[in-house]
Amino acid sequence: MATFGMGCFWEPAESLLEVEGVLRTVAGYTGVVDPTKKPTYDSVCFGRQWVEGVSVTYDDEVLSYAELLDRFEEAQNPKMGSRQYASIIFTANDDEHLLASQWLQNAQENERVTGGWPAKLTTIESSTPFFQAEGWHQNYWKKFRIRAAIVVILLVLSSGGLDRLHIFQDTPELQETIETCALALVVGGGLATMLERVIDTNVMELE
């Protein structure tokens, strides 16, 4: 398992899953040596200690740690001057630290820049407790795309889209019912999304 700070964890957690050999990714919070309490999204956003991190479980017979570091560099999207969105390689042991140091030295000597981010701004830190973020952060973009597609379809249905299809031109009452139901589903879906963020607040430490 490897841990990285890569900027906002939503996109890197998803893009790394496309790498052959990566088995699982988890979006979470890390970077504090001896936390006195569990972090929350709000405490991370409004604090200066925690890092949005991605925990990566991978098959080292398919993907080496050095190769994973290359994928980390490609997938990250950090922000300058932000601890929360910093570019950090968290190493769990001496072997990882040595490999990460060699990789980073090589990247810096070659003045590698990925997505406008120079390797010289990436740092290495020892691993700290990693807390899996709230459930709504996991697979965020995958869920968002599905929901967005559904909302678009429902909005088309609720705003007269059926008129263009001429399917219910002989049953206007049925068409009106469908449009009303579609609009209700859009509103209900929005409320459900907000409610999810209120209810799904469990944050747990990964061992």
Side-chain angles (χ1 to χ4, degrees), residues 147-148 150-151 154-155 182-198:
R147 291 171 178 173
I150 293 173
V151 167
L154 291 174
L155 285 174
L183 181 58
L185 287 172
V186 171
V187 175
L191 292 174
T193 298
M194 290 188 289
L195 188 61
E196 177 188 25
R197 298 193 176 197
V198 174

Side-chain angles (χ1 to χ4, degrees), residues 41-61:
Y41 190 53
D42 286 341
S43 69
V44 174
C45 288
F46 296 105
R48 297 182 178 275
Q49 295 180 304
W50 291 97
V51 178
E52 286 194 16
V54 178
S55 173
V56 184
T57 303
Y58 66 102
D59 184 347
D60 58 8
E61 293 185 358

Side-chain angles (χ1 to χ4, degrees), residues 129-143:
F130 185 96
F131 292 84
Q132 179 174 318
E134 297 86 345
W136 59 274
H137 289 296
Q138 311 305 326
N139 302 308
Y140 179 85
W141 284 117
K142 181 179 180 180
K143 292 183 290 187

Side-chain angles (χ1 to χ4, degrees), residues 30-45:
T30 190
V32 175
V33 176
D34 188 20
T36 56
K37 60 181 180 180
K38 292 181 180 180
T40 65
Y41 190 53
D42 286 341
S43 69
V44 174
C45 288

Side-chain angles (χ1 to χ4, degrees), residues 73 101-113 118-120:
E73 183 184 34
S101 298
Q102 292 173 340
W103 177 89
L104 187 57
Q105 181 179 356
N106 178 266
Q108 292 174 344
E109 288 176 350
N110 287 282
E111 298 183 349
R112 280 160 53 175
V113 177
K120 66 181 180 181

Side-chain angles (χ1 to χ4, degrees), residues 5-206:
M6 307 177 69
C8 177
F9 47 32
W10 290 339
E11 187 172 350
E14 180 175 338
S15 59
L16 283 175
L17 284 173
E18 299 174 1
V19 176
E20 184 179 3
V22 172
L23 306 176
R24 178 175 181 248
T25 62
V26 177
Y29 313 120
T30 190
V32 175
V33 176
D34 188 20
T36 56
K37 60 181 180 180
K38 292 181 180 180
T40 65
Y41 190 53
D42 286 341
S43 69
V44 174
C45 288
F46 296 105
R48 297 182 178 275
Q49 295 180 304
W50 291 97
V51 178
E52 286 194 16
V54 178
S55 173
V56 184
T57 303
Y58 66 102
D59 184 347
D60 58 8
E61 293 185 358
V62 177
L63 182 70
S64 70
Y65 184 66
E67 291 171 329
L68 181 58
L69 289 171
D70 288 335
R71 304 292 84 77
F72 145 77
E73 183 184 34
E74 294 168 358
Q76 68 174 341
N77 186 27
K79 291 185 178 179
M80 187 82 69
S82 170
R83 173 70 175 170
Q84 178 185 354
Y85 296 135
S87 172
I88 304 174
I89 303 168
F90 291 97
T91 56
N93 51 54
D94 291 340
D95 289 339
E96 278 192 3
H97 186 83
L98 177 60
L99 288 171
S101 298
Q102 292 173 340
W103 177 89
L104 187 57
Q105 181 179 356
N106 178 266
Q108 292 174 344
E109 288 176 350
N110 287 282
E111 298 183 349
R112 280 160 53 175
V113 177
T114 303
W117 186 264
K120 66 181 180 181
L121 297 179
T122 296
T123 60
I124 299 174
E125 297 184 12
S126 296
S127 292
T128 54
F130 185 96
F131 292 84
Q132 179 174 318
E134 297 86 345
W136 59 274
H137 289 296
Q138 311 305 326
N139 302 308
Y140 179 85
W141 284 117
K142 181 179 180 180
K143 292 183 290 187
F144 177 85
R145 283 191 291 269
I146 294 173
R147 291 171 178 173
I150 293 173
V151 167
V152 169
I153 293 171
L154 291 174
L155 285 174
V156 170
L157 292 175
S158 65
S159 60
L162 291 173
D163 292 337
R164 302 180 183 89
L165 300 176
H166 306 295
I167 297 176
F168 300 106
Q169 57 184 351
D170 297 328
T171 53
E173 291 182 357
L174 177 57
Q175 178 173 326
E176 183 179 353
T177 299
I178 292 174
E179 291 174 350
T180 301
C181 290
L183 181 58
L185 287 172
V186 171
V187 175
L191 292 174
T193 298
M194 290 188 289
L195 188 61
E196 177 188 25
R197 298 193 176 197
V198 174
I199 296 176
D200 194 0
T201 59
N202 185 42
V203 174
M204 61 180 182
E205 184 175 358
L206 295 186

